[in-house]
PDB file of all heavy atoms in Angstrom:
ATOM      1  N   ASP C   1      97.906 145.790  77.677  1.00 98.00           N
ATOM      2  CA  ASP C   1      96.997 145.123  78.610  1.00 98.00           C
ATOM      3  C   ASP C   1      95.741 145.955  78.849  1.00 98.00           C
ATOM      4  O   ASP C   1      94.631 145.417  78.953  1.00 98.00           O
ATOM      5  CB  ASP C   1      97.705 144.873  79.951  1.00 98.00           C
ATOM      6  CG  ASP C   1      98.735 143.763  79.875  1.00 98.00           C
ATOM      7  OD1 ASP C   1      98.633 142.906  78.977  1.00 98.00           O
ATOM      8  OD2 ASP C   1      99.651 143.745  80.720  1.00 98.00           O
ATOM      9  N   VAL C   2      95.909 147.275  78.939  1.00 97.00           N
ATOM     10  CA  VAL C   2      94.761 148.164  79.133  1.00 97.00           C
ATOM     11  C   VAL C   2      93.806 148.066  77.944  1.00 97.00           C
ATOM     12  O   VAL C   2      92.585 148.012  78.107  1.00 97.00           O
ATOM     13  CB  VAL C   2      95.233 149.621  79.325  1.00 97.00           C
ATOM     14  CG1 VAL C   2      94.038 150.583  79.292  1.00 97.00           C
ATOM     15  CG2 VAL C   2      95.978 149.769  80.644  1.00 97.00           C
ATOM     16  N   LEU C   3      94.367 148.025  76.750  1.00 98.00           N
ATOM     17  CA  LEU C   3      93.530 147.918  75.551  1.00 98.00           C
ATOM     18  C   LEU C   3      92.793 146.582  75.503  1.00 98.00           C
ATOM     19  O   LEU C   3      91.621 146.526  75.127  1.00 98.00           O
ATOM     20  CB  LEU C   3      94.392 148.085  74.302  1.00 98.00           C
ATOM     21  CG  LEU C   3      94.975 149.490  74.092  1.00 98.00           C
ATOM     22  CD1 LEU C   3      95.897 149.498  72.875  1.00 98.00           C
ATOM     23  CD2 LEU C   3      93.873 150.520  73.924  1.00 98.00           C
ATOM     24  N   ILE C   4      93.480 145.508  75.890  1.00 98.00           N
ATOM     25  CA  ILE C   4      92.831 144.193  75.933  1.00 98.00           C
ATOM     26  C   ILE C   4      91.672 144.206  76.922  1.00 98.00           C
ATOM     27  O   ILE C   4      90.586 143.695  76.638  1.00 98.00           O
ATOM     28  CB  ILE C   4      93.848 143.095  76.295  1.00 98.00           C
ATOM     29  CG1 ILE C   4      94.839 142.883  75.146  1.00 98.00           C
ATOM     30  CG2 ILE C   4      93.126 141.777  76.621  1.00 98.00           C
ATOM     31  CD1 ILE C   4      95.976 141.941  75.471  1.00 98.00           C
ATOM     32  N   THR C   5      91.911 144.800  78.093  1.00 98.00           N
ATOM     33  CA  THR C   5      90.848 144.900  79.092  1.00 98.00           C
ATOM     34  C   THR C   5      89.636 145.620  78.519  1.00 98.00           C
ATOM     35  O   THR C   5      88.489 145.173  78.696  1.00 98.00           O
ATOM     36  CB  THR C   5      91.348 145.656  80.335  1.00 98.00           C
ATOM     37  OG1 THR C   5      92.362 144.884  80.984  1.00 98.00           O
ATOM     38  CG2 THR C   5      90.213 145.900  81.327  1.00 98.00           C
ATOM     39  N   GLY C   6      89.862 146.714  77.803  1.00 97.00           N
ATOM     40  CA  GLY C   6      88.762 147.457  77.197  1.00 97.00           C
ATOM     41  C   GLY C   6      88.009 146.633  76.174  1.00 97.00           C
ATOM     42  O   GLY C   6      86.775 146.676  76.114  1.00 97.00           O
ATOM     43  N   LYS C   7      88.742 145.850  75.379  1.00 98.00           N
ATOM     44  CA  LYS C   7      88.090 145.024  74.360  1.00 98.00           C
ATOM     45  C   LYS C   7      87.278 143.896  74.994  1.00 98.00           C
ATOM     46  O   LYS C   7      86.194 143.553  74.508  1.00 98.00           O
ATOM     47  CB  LYS C   7      89.145 144.457  73.405  1.00 98.00           C
ATOM     48  CG  LYS C   7      89.757 145.497  72.479  1.00 98.00           C
ATOM     49  CD  LYS C   7      90.568 144.877  71.356  1.00 98.00           C
ATOM     50  CE  LYS C   7      91.838 144.224  71.845  1.00 98.00           C
ATOM     51  NZ  LYS C   7      92.668 143.706  70.719  1.00 98.00           N
ATOM     52  N   VAL C   8      87.794 143.319  76.065  1.00 98.00           N
ATOM     53  CA  VAL C   8      87.057 142.255  76.759  1.00 98.00           C
ATOM     54  C   VAL C   8      85.768 142.811  77.349  1.00 98.00           C
ATOM     55  O   VAL C   8      84.688 142.217  77.220  1.00 98.00           O
ATOM     56  CB  VAL C   8      87.919 141.602  77.861  1.00 98.00           C
ATOM     57  CG1 VAL C   8      87.072 140.660  78.717  1.00 98.00           C
ATOM     58  CG2 VAL C   8      89.089 140.838  77.245  1.00 98.00           C
ATOM     59  N   LYS C   9      85.855 143.977  77.996  1.00 96.00           N
ATOM     60  CA  LYS C   9      84.657 144.590  78.575  1.00 96.00           C
ATOM     61  C   LYS C   9      83.628 144.914  77.494  1.00 96.00           C
ATOM     62  O   LYS C   9      82.423 144.699  77.684  1.00 96.00           O
ATOM     63  CB  LYS C   9      85.042 145.864  79.325  1.00 96.00           C
ATOM     64  CG  LYS C   9      85.805 145.622  80.609  1.00 96.00           C
ATOM     65  CD  LYS C   9      86.180 146.939  81.249  1.00 96.00           C
ATOM     66  CE  LYS C   9      86.901 146.726  82.573  1.00 96.00           C
ATOM     67  NZ  LYS C   9      87.279 148.014  83.194  1.00 96.00           N
ATOM     68  N   ALA C  10      84.106 145.429  76.365  1.00 96.00           N
ATOM     69  CA  ALA C  10      83.187 145.746  75.271  1.00 96.00           C
ATOM     70  C   ALA C  10      82.512 144.487  74.747  1.00 96.00           C
ATOM     71  O   ALA C  10      81.330 144.509  74.391  1.00 96.00           O
ATOM     72  CB  ALA C  10      83.953 146.454  74.141  1.00 96.00           C
ATOM     73  N   SER C  11      83.256 143.383  74.700  1.00 97.00           N
ATOM     74  CA  SER C  11      82.680 142.111  74.242  1.00 97.00           C
ATOM     75  C   SER C  11      81.614 141.619  75.209  1.00 97.00           C
ATOM     76  O   SER C  11      80.600 141.057  74.796  1.00 97.00           O
ATOM     77  CB  SER C  11      83.783 141.058  74.099  1.00 97.00           C
ATOM     78  OG  SER C  11      84.698 141.412  73.086  1.00 97.00           O
ATOM     79  N   PHE C  12      81.829 141.836  76.507  1.00 96.00           N
ATOM     80  CA  PHE C  12      80.825 141.454  77.499  1.00 96.00           C
ATOM     81  C   PHE C  12      79.547 142.270  77.312  1.00 96.00           C
ATOM     82  O   PHE C  12      78.435 141.750  77.436  1.00 96.00           O
ATOM     83  CB  PHE C  12      81.360 141.666  78.914  1.00 96.00           C
ATOM     84  CG  PHE C  12      82.392 140.653  79.346  1.00 96.00           C
ATOM     85  CD1 PHE C  12      83.151 140.854  80.488  1.00 96.00           C
ATOM     86  CD2 PHE C  12      82.617 139.495  78.613  1.00 96.00           C
ATOM     87  CE1 PHE C  12      84.084 139.927  80.898  1.00 96.00           C
ATOM     88  CE2 PHE C  12      83.568 138.562  79.002  1.00 96.00           C
ATOM     89  CZ  PHE C  12      84.301 138.785  80.151  1.00 96.00           C
ATOM     90  N   VAL C  13      79.704 143.563  77.035  1.00 95.00           N
ATOM     91  CA  VAL C  13      78.547 144.429  76.816  1.00 95.00           C
ATOM     92  C   VAL C  13      77.714 143.904  75.653  1.00 95.00           C
ATOM     93  O   VAL C  13      76.487 143.952  75.666  1.00 95.00           O
ATOM     94  CB  VAL C  13      79.005 145.876  76.527  1.00 95.00           C
ATOM     95  CG1 VAL C  13      77.836 146.718  76.012  1.00 95.00           C
ATOM     96  CG2 VAL C  13      79.582 146.517  77.776  1.00 95.00           C
ATOM     97  N   ASP C  14      78.382 143.365  74.654  1.00 95.00           N
ATOM     98  CA  ASP C  14      77.713 142.931  73.422  1.00 95.00           C
ATOM     99  C   ASP C  14      77.218 141.487  73.488  1.00 95.00           C
ATOM    100  O   ASP C  14      76.717 140.966  72.504  1.00 95.00           O
ATOM    101  CB  ASP C  14      78.689 143.082  72.243  1.00 95.00           C
ATOM    102  CG  ASP C  14      77.981 143.310  70.929  1.00 95.00           C
ATOM    103  OD1 ASP C  14      76.894 143.918  70.944  1.00 95.00           O
ATOM    104  OD2 ASP C  14      78.503 142.874  69.884  1.00 95.00           O
ATOM    105  N   THR C  15      77.391 140.842  74.644  1.00 95.00           N
ATOM    106  CA  THR C  15      77.020 139.431  74.779  1.00 95.00           C
ATOM    107  C   THR C  15      75.708 139.273  75.534  1.00 95.00           C
ATOM    108  O   THR C  15      75.565 139.732  76.668  1.00 95.00           O
ATOM    109  CB  THR C  15      78.122 138.638  75.521  1.00 95.00           C
ATOM    110  OG1 THR C  15      79.345 138.752  74.792  1.00 95.00           O
ATOM    111  CG2 THR C  15      77.744 137.174  75.648  1.00 95.00           C
ATOM    112  N   LYS C  16      74.772 138.608  74.896  1.00 91.00           N
ATOM    113  CA  LYS C  16      73.479 138.359  75.522  1.00 91.00           C
ATOM    114  C   LYS C  16      73.653 137.456  76.732  1.00 91.00           C
ATOM    115  O   LYS C  16      74.486 136.562  76.748  1.00 91.00           O
ATOM    116  CB  LYS C  16      72.531 137.707  74.511  1.00 91.00           C
ATOM    117  CG  LYS C  16      71.114 137.524  75.003  1.00 91.00           C
ATOM    118  CD  LYS C  16      70.249 136.876  73.931  1.00 91.00           C
ATOM    119  CE  LYS C  16      68.822 136.673  74.431  1.00 91.00           C
ATOM    120  NZ  LYS C  16      67.970 136.032  73.408  1.00 91.00           N
ATOM    121  N   ASP C  17      72.861 137.698  77.766  1.00 88.00           N
ATOM    122  CA  ASP C  17      72.831 136.881  78.984  1.00 88.00           C
ATOM    123  C   ASP C  17      74.057 137.066  79.858  1.00 88.00           C
ATOM    124  O   ASP C  17      74.317 136.232  80.740  1.00 88.00           O
ATOM    125  CB  ASP C  17      72.665 135.387  78.653  1.00 88.00           C
ATOM    126  CG  ASP C  17      71.337 135.096  77.973  1.00 88.00           C
ATOM    127  OD1 ASP C  17      70.366 135.825  78.263  1.00 88.00           O
ATOM    128  OD2 ASP C  17      71.274 134.168  77.147  1.00 88.00           O
ATOM    129  N   LEU C  18      74.831 138.132  79.647  1.00 91.00           N
ATOM    130  CA  LEU C  18      75.921 138.455  80.568  1.00 91.00           C
ATOM    131  C   LEU C  18      75.631 139.785  81.245  1.00 91.00           C
ATOM    132  O   LEU C  18      75.403 140.789  80.572  1.00 91.00           O
ATOM    133  CB  LEU C  18      77.259 138.558  79.824  1.00 91.00           C
ATOM    134  CG  LEU C  18      78.146 137.321  79.763  1.00 91.00           C
ATOM    135  CD1 LEU C  18      79.491 137.677  79.129  1.00 91.00           C
ATOM    136  CD2 LEU C  18      78.355 136.680  81.116  1.00 91.00           C
ATOM    137  N   TYR C  19      75.608 139.790  82.571  1.00 86.00           N
ATOM    138  CA  TYR C  19      75.496 141.029  83.321  1.00 86.00           C
ATOM    139  C   TYR C  19      76.911 141.564  83.484  1.00 86.00           C
ATOM    140  O   TYR C  19      77.631 141.200  84.404  1.00 86.00           O
ATOM    141  CB  TYR C  19      74.845 140.778  84.687  1.00 86.00           C
ATOM    142  CG  TYR C  19      73.362 140.517  84.601  1.00 86.00           C
ATOM    143  CD1 TYR C  19      72.877 139.279  84.199  1.00 86.00           C
ATOM    144  CD2 TYR C  19      72.443 141.522  84.929  1.00 86.00           C
ATOM    145  CE1 TYR C  19      71.512 139.034  84.116  1.00 86.00           C
ATOM    146  CE2 TYR C  19      71.075 141.281  84.851  1.00 86.00           C
ATOM    147  CZ  TYR C  19      70.624 140.040  84.440  1.00 86.00           C
ATOM    148  OH  TYR C  19      69.282 139.803  84.358  1.00 86.00           O
ATOM    149  N   ALA C  20      77.321 142.424  82.564  1.00 87.00           N
ATOM    150  CA  ALA C  20      78.727 142.821  82.464  1.00 87.00           C
ATOM    151  C   ALA C  20      79.260 143.477  83.727  1.00 87.00           C
ATOM    152  O   ALA C  20      80.427 143.317  84.065  1.00 87.00           O
ATOM    153  CB  ALA C  20      78.907 143.760  81.273  1.00 87.00           C
ATOM    154  N   ASN C  21      78.419 144.212  84.450  1.00 88.00           N
ATOM    155  CA  ASN C  21      78.914 144.908  85.625  1.00 88.00           C
ATOM    156  C   ASN C  21      79.193 143.979  86.803  1.00 88.00           C
ATOM    157  O   ASN C  21      79.747 144.395  87.809  1.00 88.00           O
ATOM    158  CB  ASN C  21      77.930 145.999  86.069  1.00 88.00           C
ATOM    159  CG  ASN C  21      78.558 146.929  87.081  1.00 88.00           C
ATOM    160  OD1 ASN C  21      79.658 147.414  86.882  1.00 88.00           O
ATOM    161  ND2 ASN C  21      77.860 147.151  88.176  1.00 88.00           N
ATOM    162  N   SER C  22      78.825 142.722  86.683  1.00 90.00           N
ATOM    163  CA  SER C  22      79.137 141.764  87.748  1.00 90.00           C
ATOM    164  C   SER C  22      80.515 141.149  87.563  1.00 90.00           C
ATOM    165  O   SER C  22      80.944 140.337  88.372  1.00 90.00           O
ATOM    166  CB  SER C  22      78.081 140.648  87.774  1.00 90.00           C
ATOM    167  OG  SER C  22      78.116 139.922  86.563  1.00 90.00           O
ATOM    168  N   ILE C  23      81.234 141.548  86.501  1.00 96.00           N
ATOM    169  CA  ILE C  23      82.533 140.952  86.198  1.00 96.00           C
ATOM    170  C   ILE C  23      83.619 142.020  86.156  1.00 96.00           C
ATOM    171  O   ILE C  23      83.513 143.004  85.424  1.00 96.00           O
ATOM    172  CB  ILE C  23      82.510 140.198  84.853  1.00 96.00           C
ATOM    173  CG1 ILE C  23      81.426 139.126  84.878  1.00 96.00           C
ATOM    174  CG2 ILE C  23      83.871 139.587  84.544  1.00 96.00           C
ATOM    175  CD1 ILE C  23      81.196 138.449  83.542  1.00 96.00           C
ATOM    176  N   LYS C  24      84.653 141.828  86.932  1.00 97.00           N
ATOM    177  CA  LYS C  24      85.824 142.712  86.928  1.00 97.00           C
ATOM    178  C   LYS C  24      86.900 142.070  86.073  1.00 97.00           C
ATOM    179  O   LYS C  24      87.195 140.885  86.230  1.00 97.00           O
ATOM    180  CB  LYS C  24      86.339 142.918  88.351  1.00 97.00           C
ATOM    181  CG  LYS C  24      87.476 143.932  88.466  1.00 97.00           C
ATOM    182  CD  LYS C  24      87.874 144.115  89.910  1.00 97.00           C
ATOM    183  CE  LYS C  24      88.904 145.225  90.067  1.00 97.00           C
ATOM    184  NZ  LYS C  24      88.349 146.550  89.785  1.00 97.00           N
ATOM    185  N   VAL C  25      87.492 142.848  85.172  1.00 98.00           N
ATOM    186  CA  VAL C  25      88.503 142.341  84.249  1.00 98.00           C
ATOM    187  C   VAL C  25      89.858 142.940  84.583  1.00 98.00           C
ATOM    188  O   VAL C  25      90.002 144.166  84.683  1.00 98.00           O
ATOM    189  CB  VAL C  25      88.142 142.680  82.789  1.00 98.00           C
ATOM    190  CG1 VAL C  25      89.185 142.100  81.833  1.00 98.00           C
ATOM    191  CG2 VAL C  25      86.748 142.162  82.440  1.00 98.00           C
ATOM    192  N   VAL C  26      90.853 142.085  84.763  1.00 98.00           N
ATOM    193  CA  VAL C  26      92.226 142.515  85.009  1.00 98.00           C
ATOM    194  C   VAL C  26      93.113 141.808  83.988  1.00 98.00           C
ATOM    195  O   VAL C  26      93.000 140.596  83.800  1.00 98.00           O
ATOM    196  CB  VAL C  26      92.697 142.149  86.434  1.00 98.00           C
ATOM    197  CG1 VAL C  26      94.156 142.546  86.647  1.00 98.00           C
ATOM    198  CG2 VAL C  26      91.806 142.800  87.483  1.00 98.00           C
ATOM    199  N   THR C  27      93.989 142.549  83.313  1.00 98.00           N
ATOM    200  CA  THR C  27      94.868 141.948  82.308  1.00 98.00           C
ATOM    201  C   THR C  27      96.325 142.213  82.654  1.00 98.00           C
ATOM    202  O   THR C  27      96.694 143.348  82.977  1.00 98.00           O
ATOM    203  CB  THR C  27      94.578 142.498  80.905  1.00 98.00           C
ATOM    204  OG1 THR C  27      93.182 142.372  80.624  1.00 98.00           O
ATOM    205  CG2 THR C  27      95.370 141.736  79.851  1.00 98.00           C
ATOM    206  N   GLU C  28      97.131 141.188  82.583  1.00 97.00           N
ATOM    207  CA  GLU C  28      98.564 141.295  82.875  1.00 97.00           C
ATOM    208  C   GLU C  28      99.338 140.417  81.901  1.00 97.00           C
ATOM    209  O   GLU C  28      99.125 139.208  81.839  1.00 97.00           O
ATOM    210  CB  GLU C  28      98.838 140.826  84.314  1.00 97.00           C
ATOM    211  CG  GLU C  28     100.182 141.271  84.853  1.00 97.00           C
ATOM    212  CD  GLU C  28     100.199 142.732  85.271  1.00 97.00           C
ATOM    213  OE1 GLU C  28      99.324 143.161  86.044  1.00 97.00           O
ATOM    214  OE2 GLU C  28     101.111 143.452  84.814  1.00 97.00           O
ATOM    215  N   ARG C  29     100.195 141.056  81.085  1.00 96.00           N
ATOM    216  CA  ARG C  29     101.014 140.341  80.097  1.00 96.00           C
ATOM    217  C   ARG C  29     100.141 139.491  79.150  1.00 96.00           C
ATOM    218  O   ARG C  29     100.489 138.389  78.789  1.00 96.00           O
ATOM    219  CB  ARG C  29     102.074 139.467  80.777  1.00 96.00           C
ATOM    220  CG  ARG C  29     103.021 140.234  81.685  1.00 96.00           C
ATOM    221  CD  ARG C  29     104.126 139.351  82.261  1.00 96.00           C
ATOM    222  NE  ARG C  29     103.586 138.189  82.948  1.00 96.00           N
ATOM    223  CZ  ARG C  29     103.115 138.211  84.193  1.00 96.00           C
ATOM    224  NH1 ARG C  29     103.124 139.326  84.903  1.00 96.00           N
ATOM    225  NH2 ARG C  29     102.648 137.107  84.749  1.00 96.00           N
ATOM    226  N   GLY C  30      98.971 140.018  78.821  1.00 97.00           N
ATOM    227  CA  GLY C  30      98.059 139.317  77.916  1.00 97.00           C
ATOM    228  C   GLY C  30      97.199 138.266  78.584  1.00 97.00           C
ATOM    229  O   GLY C  30      96.318 137.681  77.940  1.00 97.00           O
ATOM    230  N   ILE C  31      97.420 138.017  79.863  1.00 98.00           N
ATOM    231  CA  ILE C  31      96.601 137.060  80.621  1.00 98.00           C
ATOM    232  C   ILE C  31      95.422 137.811  81.234  1.00 98.00           C
ATOM    233  O   ILE C  31      95.618 138.800  81.947  1.00 98.00           O
ATOM    234  CB  ILE C  31      97.413 136.371  81.724  1.00 98.00           C
ATOM    235  CG1 ILE C  31      98.618 135.638  81.133  1.00 98.00           C
ATOM    236  CG2 ILE C  31      96.540 135.395  82.514  1.00 98.00           C
ATOM    237  CD1 ILE C  31      99.576 135.081  82.188  1.00 98.00           C
ATOM    238  N   VAL C  32      94.221 137.356  80.950  1.00 98.00           N
ATOM    239  CA  VAL C  32      93.018 138.019  81.448  1.00 98.00           C
ATOM    240  C   VAL C  32      92.492 137.287  82.682  1.00 98.00           C
ATOM    241  O   VAL C  32      92.268 136.071  82.640  1.00 98.00           O
ATOM    242  CB  VAL C  32      91.926 138.070  80.358  1.00 98.00           C
ATOM    243  CG1 VAL C  32      90.606 138.564  80.938  1.00 98.00           C
ATOM    244  CG2 VAL C  32      92.376 138.975  79.220  1.00 98.00           C
ATOM    245  N   TYR C  33      92.314 138.024  83.757  1.00 98.00           N
ATOM    246  CA  TYR C  33      91.752 137.478  84.997  1.00 98.00           C
ATOM    247  C   TYR C  33      90.335 138.022  85.147  1.00 98.00           C
ATOM    248  O   TYR C  33      90.103 139.221  84.982  1.00 98.00           O
ATOM    249  CB  TYR C  33      92.592 137.910  86.204  1.00 98.00           C
ATOM    250  CG  TYR C  33      94.020 137.439  86.146  1.00 98.00           C
ATOM    251  CD1 TYR C  33      94.996 138.197  85.509  1.00 98.00           C
ATOM    252  CD2 TYR C  33      94.398 136.226  86.727  1.00 98.00           C
ATOM    253  CE1 TYR C  33      96.312 137.764  85.446  1.00 98.00           C
ATOM    254  CE2 TYR C  33      95.722 135.787  86.669  1.00 98.00           C
ATOM    255  CZ  TYR C  33      96.670 136.567  86.027  1.00 98.00           C
ATOM    256  OH  TYR C  33      97.977 136.139  85.958  1.00 98.00           O
ATOM    257  N   LEU C  34      89.404 137.148  85.457  1.00 98.00           N
ATOM    258  CA  LEU C  34      88.003 137.528  85.607  1.00 98.00           C
ATOM    259  C   LEU C  34      87.566 137.308  87.046  1.00 98.00           C
ATOM    260  O   LEU C  34      87.680 136.209  87.578  1.00 98.00           O
ATOM    261  CB  LEU C  34      87.123 136.700  84.666  1.00 98.00           C
ATOM    262  CG  LEU C  34      87.463 136.774  83.172  1.00 98.00           C
ATOM    263  CD1 LEU C  34      86.546 135.845  82.380  1.00 98.00           C
ATOM    264  CD2 LEU C  34      87.376 138.201  82.648  1.00 98.00           C
ATOM    265  N   MET C  35      87.074 138.381  87.671  1.00 98.00           N
ATOM    266  CA  MET C  35      86.589 138.315  89.036  1.00 98.00           C
ATOM    267  C   MET C  35      85.111 138.694  89.056  1.00 98.00           C
ATOM    268  O   MET C  35      84.627 139.386  88.159  1.00 98.00           O
ATOM    269  CB  MET C  35      87.367 139.280  89.940  1.00 98.00           C
ATOM    270  CG  MET C  35      88.870 139.133  89.894  1.00 98.00           C
ATOM    271  SD  MET C  35      89.712 140.346  90.957  1.00 98.00           S
ATOM    272  CE  MET C  35      89.440 139.617  92.585  1.00 98.00           C
ATOM    273  N   GLY C  36      84.396 138.258  90.080  1.00 96.00           N
ATOM    274  CA  GLY C  36      83.009 138.656  90.212  1.00 96.00           C
ATOM    275  C   GLY C  36      82.160 137.580  90.854  1.00 96.00           C
ATOM    276  O   GLY C  36      82.625 136.473  91.120  1.00 96.00           O
ATOM    277  N   ARG C  37      80.902 137.925  91.074  1.00 95.00           N
ATOM    278  CA  ARG C  37      79.922 136.990  91.628  1.00 95.00           C
ATOM    279  C   ARG C  37      79.018 136.561  90.483  1.00 95.00           C
ATOM    280  O   ARG C  37      78.169 137.333  90.030  1.00 95.00           O
ATOM    281  CB  ARG C  37      79.119 137.647  92.750  1.00 95.00           C
ATOM    282  CG  ARG C  37      79.970 138.238  93.869  1.00 95.00           C
ATOM    283  CD  ARG C  37      79.117 138.668  95.046  1.00 95.00           C
ATOM    284  NE  ARG C  37      78.568 137.506  95.719  1.00 95.00           N
ATOM    285  CZ  ARG C  37      77.423 137.492  96.394  1.00 95.00           C
ATOM    286  NH1 ARG C  37      76.668 138.580  96.436  1.00 95.00           N
ATOM    287  NH2 ARG C  37      77.002 136.391  96.988  1.00 95.00           N
TER     288      ARG C  37
END
């Protein structure tokens, strides 16, 4: 789950028009939860 979280965050960094720091990523049993404003 930790590795998935890291990969999701890295994908956000590489995505145009996403302010990555406005999104918190939590992963549990392969399920990704996205929090933020």
Side-chain angles (χ1 to χ4, degrees):
D1 287 337
V2 171
L3 292 176
I4 291 173
T5 294
K7 289 192 291 184
V8 171
K9 289 178 178 179
S11 295
F12 287 168
V13 168
D14 207 31
T15 301
K16 186 180 179 181
D17 296 329
L18 266 187
Y19 286 78
N21 193 49
S22 63
I23 303 172
K24 186 177 186 68
V25 182
V26 177
T27 308
E28 197 77 52
R29 302 184 305 279
I31 302 172
V32 171
Y33 299 88
L34 303 177
M35 307 178 77
R37 305 189 69 208

